[in-house]
Every structure is written in structure tokens, then in C-alpha cells.
Amino acid sequence: MAVIGRIRQRSALLVVVIGVALAAFILGDFFKKGQRREMNIGVIAGEKVSVIDFNNKVEGIVEMRERSSGERLNADDLFSIKQSTWNEFVQDILKGEQYDELGLSVSVDELNDLILGDEPHPYIKQNFSNPQTGQFDAQQVSLFLDNLNNREVVSPEMRENYLYLEHLIKKDRLQNKYFNLLSQGYYIPSAFS
């Protein structure tokens, strides 16, 4: 009872202490919201990978896969996509540095040749084959590209899929150039073989 009596005598002080603590808690949380921190999922070769960038890329791949299959992906597929997306970030950053140092790039003319040339990239052949015959149709590619920005003919989803396909073609071409440089960079005399 003596303790309760002391608390009653100093109730004003107790209310002030609780009020100050509550105000400090609320103001501390308020100031933290004002200073948004960038959340990173990881760091690759000193370059930070944002959670937002990673999730956007994963969501884009999931949407494309679900659209093409017509089914929702299960947990194993989602895990696989996240893992392959992370591996892609690692490769893009590490190889990108190497490509820049070596001056490797894919020109617009080179990309056009890979899409519309005499020997198109396998991705183009796969995606623009005639459904009845299964044969590649170069006219279908030309017609599609002519109408790429026409929303009445080419849907935004198809346009996004094509742009992603173009990205994959560039990436594959750069990788082939890089590996060709590596393979040509070694010489083993016939006496050692």
C-alpha cells in the first residue's frame, strides 16, 4: 500500500514521464518514415541490387510465363524463377563489366540482321514460325515489326514479349562474342597437343 500511496503523490510526474516517452516513440517513427531507406537484396561486385528492381523483373517473367502457359505457376516454379533471375543479375553485372572493358556491343545493324537477315536468330525462328507448316516465315516478322507500335494490331503484351525477346537476342549475341574471344585467345602449339 505504501507504494501505491507514493505513486498517487507523484501522479503528475508519472503522467509527464509517460507522455514524453510516448511522444518520443511517435516522433521517432515519424522521422524514420521521412528518411526512406533503399532496401537492397544483395550486392554484386560492389553494385547494389534493389529489391524493387529484382521483384519487378521476377513479376515480369512470372506474368509472361503464366500468359504463355495459361496456368498459374506453383511454388517450385516461382522459386526457380527467382533463383534464375538472381543468377541473371549476377551474370549481367559481372559479364557487363567484362563486355565494357573489351568494348563489346551489339549494333543496331547487327540486331536487325539477327532479326530480319538471311539467317535469323533461333529465338526469332522459334517465335515466328507458321503454325500450319512449322516453317519460319520471314514475312510474318516483317509484318509484325511494321505494326509493332500499332496497338490495334499488336497488343501491349505482345509488344512487351517481343522487346524481351530482343533483349535475349542481344544478350545471347554478346555472350557468343565474348566466348569466341576467349576461345580465340588461347593458342596451344601442336607439340603440346
Side-chain angles (χ1 to χ4, degrees):
M1 287 291 220
V3 174
I4 293 175
R6 286 186 192 161
I7 291 174
R8 281 185 186 157
Q9 288 175 350
R10 297 190 177 117
S11 63
L13 178 64
L14 184 62
V15 168
V16 169
V17 169
I18 291 173
V20 168
L22 187 60
F25 178 74
I26 292 171
L27 289 175
D29 194 39
F30 177 73
F31 287 122
K32 282 184 185 175
K33 285 184 181 176
Q35 302 171 348
R36 274 202 163 158
R37 293 183 305 154
E38 184 179 326
M39 302 230 359
N40 297 316
I41 196 165
V43 178
I44 303 167
E47 189 172 324
K48 295 177 183 177
V49 178
S50 166
V51 171
I52 295 169
D53 293 341
F54 179 79
N55 286 338
N56 287 343
K57 192 163 191 171
V58 168
E59 287 173 12
I61 293 170
V62 167
E63 283 178 22
M64 271 198 311
R65 285 250 187 108
E66 286 179 346
R67 234 181 299 147
S68 66
S69 70
E71 299 175 357
R72 300 235 352 119
L73 298 177
N74 61 30
D76 290 337
D77 292 336
L78 291 174
F79 178 77
S80 174
I81 288 172
K82 286 180 181 181
Q83 195 160 12
S84 65
T85 302
W86 176 255
N87 290 338
E88 190 176 329
F89 266 101
V90 171
Q91 287 183 5
D92 286 350
I93 290 171
L94 295 179
K95 286 182 180 175
E97 291 175 358
Q98 293 295 314
Y99 297 158
D100 291 342
E101 285 181 25
L102 294 169
L104 295 177
S105 65
V106 177
S107 69
V108 174
D109 292 336
E110 188 176 5
L111 183 62
N112 285 337
D113 188 49
L114 288 168
I115 295 170
L116 297 169
D118 294 335
E119 190 57 39
H121 193 276
Y123 293 159
I124 294 293
K125 287 182 179 180
Q126 178 183 356
N127 285 285
F128 290 96
S129 59
N130 189 324
Q132 287 86 17
T133 64
Q135 296 295 320
F136 172 69
D137 187 1
Q139 289 178 337
Q140 187 181 7
V141 178
S142 296
L143 183 64
F144 179 83
L145 291 177
D146 289 341
N147 293 306
L148 187 62
N149 293 320
N150 185 350
R151 290 182 179 257
E152 294 174 10
V153 179
V154 177
S155 70
E157 292 84 19
M158 289 174 68
R159 185 176 193 283
E160 286 297 317
N161 287 347
Y162 172 75
L163 292 176
Y164 184 70
L165 182 68
E166 201 174 81
H167 166 75
L168 291 177
I169 292 170
K170 285 181 189 177
K171 189 173 171 180
D172 184 58
R173 182 66 178 153
L174 277 173
Q175 191 170 355
N176 285 338
K177 284 181 174 183
Y178 182 72
F179 287 132
N180 285 337
L181 278 175
L182 287 178
S183 68
Q184 299 298 319
Y186 292 103
Y187 171 73
I188 299 174
S190 58
F192 293 124
S193 33

